[in-house]
Amino acid sequence: MKWDVIEARVIEPGCFQVKFADGLEGTVRFAPSAYRGVFAKLRDPLEFNKLYVNDYFVTWPGELDLAPDTMHEKIKEKGEWLIQ
């Protein structure tokens, strides 16, 4: 699918670059308010840096992932997705 993630890399804590199967690329940023619930542990840069792509999803250990369709939509609109 067009929103399958094929590559992702951390730029800095709380921010990563992503590339999709259709060639779309963009940035995803976590606002301070996004680090709650299951994502609270990603406030630690060592945990955030464990980002990887698994089955076309941006993922972290502990089965944390982000919806690739939403990520694609937001990046297509604005070039960046700010998760709040």
Side-chain angles (χ1 to χ4, degrees):
M1 303 210 115
K2 68 180 182 180
W3 56 71
D4 288 348
V5 175
I6 59 171
E7 187 178 316
R9 66 179 179 82
V10 174
I11 298 170
E12 60 187 42
C15 180
F16 64 91
Q17 185 77 25
V18 66
K19 183 175 183 180
F20 297 91
D22 68 353
L24 180 70
E25 295 184 47
T27 304
V28 177
R29 295 184 186 279
F30 278 70
S33 60
Y35 298 109
R36 62 186 180 276
V38 296
F39 293 105
K41 73 178 193 174
L42 297 182
R43 186 182 305 273
D44 178 348
L46 295 175
E47 288 298 316
F48 192 88
N49 287 341
K50 293 179 182 178
L51 172 147
Y52 64 101
V53 176
N54 184 31
D55 292 330
Y56 305 110
F57 285 81
V58 172
T59 307
W60 290 269
E63 300 182 21
L64 297 178
D65 59 41
L66 297 175
D69 54 337
T70 301
M71 191 181 330
H72 187 278
E73 178 184 321
K74 299 294 185 182
I75 289 172
K76 189 171 183 178
E77 286 175 13
K78 300 178 182 174
E80 178 177 277
W81 181 24
L82 177 62
I83 301 172
Q84 298 183 6

